[in-house]
Amino acid sequence: MQDKPDLAALIASRICHDLISPIGAIGNGVELLAMEPGGARPEMALISESVANANARIRFFRVCFGQAGSDQRIARSEVVAILGDLGRGGRISYAWTSPGDLPRREVRLAFLLLQCLESALAYGGRINVTRSETGWSVLAEAPRLKVDPALWEVLTEPRAPAEIGANQVHFALVPEELARQGRRLVTEIGETTIRLTF
């Protein structure tokens, strides 16, 4: 019997697919305007930066929330490009170490965890992701962390909190993805670091 389709993931894939082209077109238009005499104005730079950030977010969300078949793979270069664009000018920087070609589902789980870490790095910081022969390790470092214990408990004790907002949905999705992949997450939260292994 065939698995029931993941409608939420299909909707996310569709939204991201439909938004990538117009955002790209806006970016191209901004580049053309910048080439005009007097086009290199501060407001044009701000628009250009915003378009690049929106494009990076959409690509990130597509991997994070979109449909991911068990046989789909994603190139390391694509992952590094997404995270590089996401970190450009932002409060969080990313470093990614992995083999050249990865199962998309594994990257999806890593990206969901990156979103969890982003919420803890509200004041900025650095995230290092490493894929080795023994599994995944994600280390977040920041001068100050903002950790909501109730949300972080959801990752290791799969029960949805009483109230979860749209900006916290990734916490609820992580246990589902862990179960789907037959993995167990270990979290270590310190004063200035969070380490996740799976």
Side-chain angles (χ1 to χ4, degrees):
M1 183 174 144
Q2 196 172 14
D3 285 345
K4 198 172 150 186
D6 185 342
L7 294 179
L10 289 171
I11 291 167
S13 290
R14 174 62 192 262
I15 291 170
C16 292
H17 177 271
D18 287 359
L19 287 177
I20 281 175
S21 291
I23 289 174
I26 293 168
N28 292 337
V30 170
E31 282 182 28
L32 289 172
L33 286 171
M35 295 198 297
E36 295 287 322
R41 298 191 309 268
E43 60 268 27
M44 291 303 290
L46 182 62
I47 294 169
S48 179
E49 187 180 311
S50 297
V51 169
N53 187 269
N55 195 359
R57 271 282 158 200
I58 289 289
R59 287 161 45 225
F60 180 81
F61 289 156
R62 193 178 199 179
V63 174
C64 216
F65 301 116
Q67 183 69 9
S70 56
D71 58 344
Q72 282 185 302
R73 299 189 74 77
I74 186 168
R76 177 188 179 277
S77 57
E78 184 178 349
V79 173
V80 170
I82 291 170
L83 294 178
D85 290 345
L86 206 58
R88 192 168 291 119
R91 56 187 165 72
I92 300 173
S93 63
Y94 304 88
W96 183 279
T97 306
S98 73
D101 195 29
L102 296 158
R104 191 179 180 101
R105 282 212 168 170
E106 289 188 27
V107 176
R108 178 189 200 183
L109 178 54
F111 275 22
L112 285 168
L113 289 168
L114 288 183
Q115 283 210 290
C116 297
L117 290 169
E118 283 178 6
S119 67
L121 300 178
Y123 311 105
R126 179 172 179 77
I127 301 175
N128 290 287
V129 183
T130 305
R131 172 68 165 100
S132 65
E133 290 178 10
T134 56
W136 290 85
S137 174
V138 185
L139 176 66
E141 301 173 285
R144 280 173 65 199
L145 295 176
K146 183 181 176 186
V147 175
D148 181 341
L151 282 173
W152 284 88
E153 280 175 16
V154 173
L155 299 183
T156 50
E157 298 172 21
R159 55 177 175 70
E163 288 185 25
I164 193 160
N167 63 336
Q168 302 160 333
V169 69
H170 38 278
F171 282 94
L173 292 173
V174 167
E176 289 180 15
E177 195 58 42
L178 285 165
R180 194 176 287 124
Q181 296 186 29
R183 293 178 178 272
R184 179 177 166 268
L185 178 70
V186 176
T187 66
E188 301 169 60
I189 301 175
E191 288 289 315
T192 59
T193 63
I194 300 175
R195 184 182 294 275
L196 308 173
T197 52
F198 59 97

